[in-house]
Amino acid sequence: METRIIDGNALARKLRESLKTRTTQLTAGGNTPGLAVIIVGENPASKIYVRNKVKACAEVGIHSEHIELPEATSEADLLAHIARLNADPRIHGILVQLPLPKHISTDAVLNAIDPKKDADGFHPMNVGLLATGNPRFAPCTPAGVMAMLEDEGINPWGMNAVVVGASNIVGKPAALLLLQKGATVTICNSKTRDLASHTRAADIVVVATGKVNLVTADMVKEGAVVIDVGMNRNAEGKLCGDADYQGMLGKVSHITPVPGGVGPMTITMLLANTVLSAERVAKTQSR
Ligand code: GUN
C-alpha cells in the first residue's frame, strides 16, 4: 500500500493564509487579535517553542506580548501578570508555557486565566466544555490533529481510534475530540498491558508519549492512519517521533512525519484560537 505523508507544514501554511485574512478584517474594525505568551525559567525547548509562537503571530498579523520571567518568579508575581493580561482589552489569548517551575502550582495558574482568553483550552471550565461536547477552545495540538484528519478527508465516524498517552495537553483532549467525531476511542497509558493488542485494532492511532519507537509497524494494522505527536531525539541526535516512521511506510495509509507533521499545526491552532477569541469580542461589540 502506498502511504500518504501528511504534510503539516503545507496545511499550516494554507490555514495561516486564511487566518491572515480574518486578522486583516479584525484589524480594520479596530480589534487586532492579541496573544500574550508567558514563559517562566530557562527550559531550552520551551524557549524555542515560545519564540516560534511569537514569530508566527507576527506572520499573520496578530499582536503579541512575550513575557519572560526568571526561574525564581513567585506564584503571586505570575498571577499578577495574568490578572493584568485578563484585564487588557488588546489581549485575546493568554498562554503560560508549561511545564512551570516546581514551586508554582500549575492548577492555580491555569485557573487564574480568564476562560474567555484561554487560547490553550487548559482552564477547567474549558476542559469541561470540551468534555460535554461544546468546546470553546480546543487544545492546540489535538485541534491540529483533527484539522489534519479533516484535510485528508478522513472521517473518524464509526472508526476505532486508539490514543497512546493520556496527558491533559494532548492525549485526553485528543480522545474527546475523536469521540465527538463519532470514533470509538481507547486511551492507553504507560500502565497499559499488551499495548499492541489495542493499537492493532485501531483504524486511527494517535501516539503522544515522548518515547522513541514506542509504536512499531508490527503493532498497527495494514491501512491504519498514524498520527505521531512525539518530538524526541534518537540515539544519533536526530529529531524523531514516537512511531517507527520508516517501518510504517508501505503498510499504513497515512502517517505524519517528525519534524514537519503535527508540530507546525500546534502553533497554527494557537493562532486560530486567538483569532477566534478576537472575533467573539468583535461580535459582542457589534450587537
Ligand atoms: N508545553 C508543551 N505543549 C504546550 C502547549 O500546547 N501549551 C502550553 N502552554 N505549554 C505547552
Side-chain angles (χ1 to χ4, degrees):
M1 160 175 289
E2 194 180 332
T3 301
R4 244 188 87 76
I5 315 279
I6 307 180
D7 184 344
N9 282 314
L11 180 56
R13 265 197 303 277
K14 184 167 87 177
L15 296 177
R16 287 183 201 191
E17 277 310 309
S18 82
L19 288 175
K20 225 186 257 181
T21 310
R22 288 160 67 189
T23 303
T24 306
Q25 273 173 4
L26 283 161
T27 297
N31 286 300
T32 300
L35 175 69
V37 182
I38 305 180
I39 180 168
V40 186
E42 297 295 326
N43 183 320
S46 291
K47 284 180 104 161
I48 294 170
Y49 292 143
V50 165
R51 213 171 307 140
N52 288 339
K53 286 169 183 174
V54 170
K55 202 171 115 208
C57 282
E59 282 166 17
V60 301
I62 294 176
H63 159 71
S64 71
E65 196 170 322
H66 181 188
I67 299 165
E68 287 189 70
L69 301 173
E71 179 84 20
T73 301
S74 69
E75 186 176 302
D77 272 355
L78 177 55
L79 293 177
H81 279 282
I82 293 171
R84 173 179 67 76
L85 295 164
N86 281 343
D88 184 343
R90 292 167 305 174
I91 296 298
H92 305 89
I94 301 170
L95 176 147
V96 179
Q97 186 67 27
L98 302 179
L100 286 165
K102 294 218 168 5
H103 65 276
I104 298 178
S105 157
T106 302
D107 283 345
V109 169
L110 297 180
N111 267 298
I113 295 170
D114 179 346
K116 291 196 171 68
K117 296 190 177 189
D118 175 32
D120 258 331
F122 293 167
H123 188 288
M125 178 177 283
N126 289 326
V127 176
L129 287 170
L130 174 65
T132 50
N134 186 26
R136 171 157 50 197
F137 294 113
C140 304
T141 300
V145 169
M146 299 309 288
M148 290 174 121
L149 293 177
E150 189 180 344
D151 191 65
E152 289 295 322
I154 298 162
N155 182 353
W157 194 265
M159 287 189 180
N160 288 335
V162 169
V163 179
V164 187
S167 70
N168 290 337
I169 294 180
V170 184
K172 284 183 211 163
L176 288 168
L177 289 170
L178 285 160
L179 182 65
Q180 212 183 324
K181 290 284 179 194
T184 300
V185 183
T186 303
I187 310 177
C188 299
N189 59 51
S190 56
K191 277 77 86 189
T192 298
R193 264 183 256 147
D194 194 5
L195 178 64
S197 69
H198 296 281
T199 53
R200 277 193 201 112
D203 303 300
I204 300 173
V205 181
V206 177
V207 54
T209 64
K211 295 197 180 74
V212 177
N213 274 349
L214 181 75
V215 178
T216 48
D218 61 307
M219 294 170 68
V220 297
K221 72 176 177 188
E222 182 98 21
V225 175
V226 177
I227 307 287
D228 191 346
V229 185
M231 179 59 83
N232 314 298
R233 291 208 183 261
N234 64 13
E236 292 92 60
K238 261 183 65 183
L239 280 179
C240 66
D242 297 351
D244 173 17
Y245 179 81
Q246 287 300 330
M248 302 265 184
L249 295 178
K251 179 167 189 185
V252 301
S253 70
H254 297 73
I255 193 165
T256 60
V258 178
V262 176
M265 291 300 295
T266 293
I267 297 188
T268 303
M269 302 324 275
L270 172 67
L271 305 177
N273 278 348
T274 305
V275 170
L276 185 63
S277 180
E279 284 171 344
R280 288 175 181 151
V281 170
K283 209 164 155 189
T284 60
Q285 287 170 352
S286 66
R287 283 218 192 105

